[in-house]
Amino acid sequence: GAVVSQHPSWVICKSGTSVKIECRSLDFQATTMFWYRQFPKQSLMLMATSNEGSKATYEQGVEKDKFLINHASLTLSTLTVTSAHPEDSSFYICSARDSSGRGAYEQYFGPGTRLTVT
Amino acid sequence: DAKTTQPPSMDCAEGRAANLPCNHSTISGNEYVYWYRQIHSQGPQYIIHGLKNNETNEMASLIITEDRKSSTLILPHATLRDTAVYYCIVRVGRNQGGKLIFGQGTELSVKP
């Protein structure tokens, strides 16, 4: 089946630094990828939609200057958390939509990245 | 996209069928019903989806009522590894865009 990877799987950083998370579709092309965050005991919250070669679309209330998204190729999207603070500590999950139109379902999720800001 | 309502939690005995309900009374004609599950600290996993007809795959069955206002996900023989949060989501089909917006889901506990 289609596989989405994320790197790193977990990261600890100091307050004020920036962290980059990569999301890759390993065996399919994805013109559209999605970034979610999830706090403990809560559901996934959609942050933004990333389209290859164009600017990301952010959900209401998500700061685009803080969460920089780059979708430079059909298999890679990155999320950079800039000037991270402890309240940015969360589980970040990406999802990729298969552009080919094949398959019974077109959106696949990565395993998530656990970010802890100290 | 239409909103869904699910019970917050359910228990099921191992080996028995788990029936997870979902209400989506405001669903539109072009919206599909999708089910995903999330095992603790992992990314969501696709289970099944449908539009009008009942669907079955190797993981589960999806029963959609005739008026499409509710559906039930059936895991025929639940195992301990099926313990997870199950999300019912309605959204437009792949060719019409649409985002997967997660609600609170149902936390299913399968007990020995």
Side-chain angles (χ1 to χ4, degrees):
Chain A
V3 178
V4 176
S5 70
Q6 283 185 240
H7 178 79
S9 54
W10 59 270
V11 57
I12 301 172
C13 72
K14 292 187 183 300
S15 188
T17 62
S18 295
V19 174
K20 180 186 284 188
I21 302 170
E22 293 185 349
C23 175
R24 294 182 185 273
S25 55
L26 297 186
D27 50 2
F28 66 97
Q29 293 185 331
T31 55
T32 304
M33 291 185 173
F34 304 87
W35 287 96
Y36 294 80
R37 66 190 291 183
Q38 184 176 33
F39 293 109
K41 304 270 186 205
Q42 293 187 24
S43 185
L44 286 79
M45 185 197 81
L46 179 65
M47 299 175 65
T49 302
S50 163
N51 294 296
E52 187 265 337
S54 64
K55 289 183 179 180
T57 304
Y58 292 81
E59 296 297 305
Q60 192 172 7
V62 178
E63 300 175 60
K64 62 181 182 182
D65 294 330
K66 181 168 183 63
F67 299 100
L68 302 180
I69 292 172
N70 183 19
H71 192 157
S73 78
L74 288 173
T75 58
L76 173 64
S77 176
T78 60
L79 169 69
T80 301
V81 183
T82 63
S83 187
H85 289 103
E87 56 265 31
D88 297 323
S89 298
S90 189
F91 192 48
Y92 291 86
I93 306 169
C94 75
S95 179
R97 179 177 285 168
D98 188 341
S99 307
S100 69
R102 296 171 300 177
Y105 51 98
E106 77 283 9
Q107 195 164 331
Y108 310 91
F109 285 82
T113 296
R114 176 80 55 194
L115 169 64
T116 302
V117 184
T118 61
Chain B
D1 292 330
K3 194 171 178 181
T4 62
T5 305
Q6 298 178 252
S9 64
M10 292 181 64
D11 289 341
C12 177
E14 188 178 18
R16 306 297 291 266
N19 297 292
L20 292 91
C22 178
N23 285 323
H24 31 79
S25 58
T26 58
I27 191 170
S28 300
N30 63 345
E31 288 181 314
Y32 289 71
V33 179
Y34 285 80
W35 283 84
Y36 282 78
R37 73 180 182 184
Q38 185 180 27
I39 295 169
H40 184 62
S41 294
Q42 296 182 23
Q45 176 190 22
Y46 166 84
I47 302 173
I48 199 167
H49 78 285
L51 182 63
K52 286 191 251 189
N53 300 322
N54 298 337
E55 302 287 344
T56 296
N57 62 21
E58 64 278 2
M59 287 183 69
S61 295
L62 174 60
I63 308 297
I64 303 175
T65 58
E66 194 168 339
D67 63 6
R68 304 210 320 126
K69 292 179 187 267
S70 66
S71 60
T72 301
L73 178 74
I74 301 172
L75 307 178
H77 306 287
T79 71
L80 299 179
R81 288 180 295 181
D82 292 321
T83 292
V85 179
Y86 287 76
Y87 296 98
C88 168
I89 304 168
V90 294
R91 54 157 271 193
V92 295
R94 84 173 79 194
N95 292 328
Q96 299 167 303
K99 298 174 277 194
L100 288 174
I101 305 298
F102 288 76
Q104 294 307 306
T106 295
E107 186 166 8
L108 176 68
S109 296
V110 180
K111 300 182 185 298

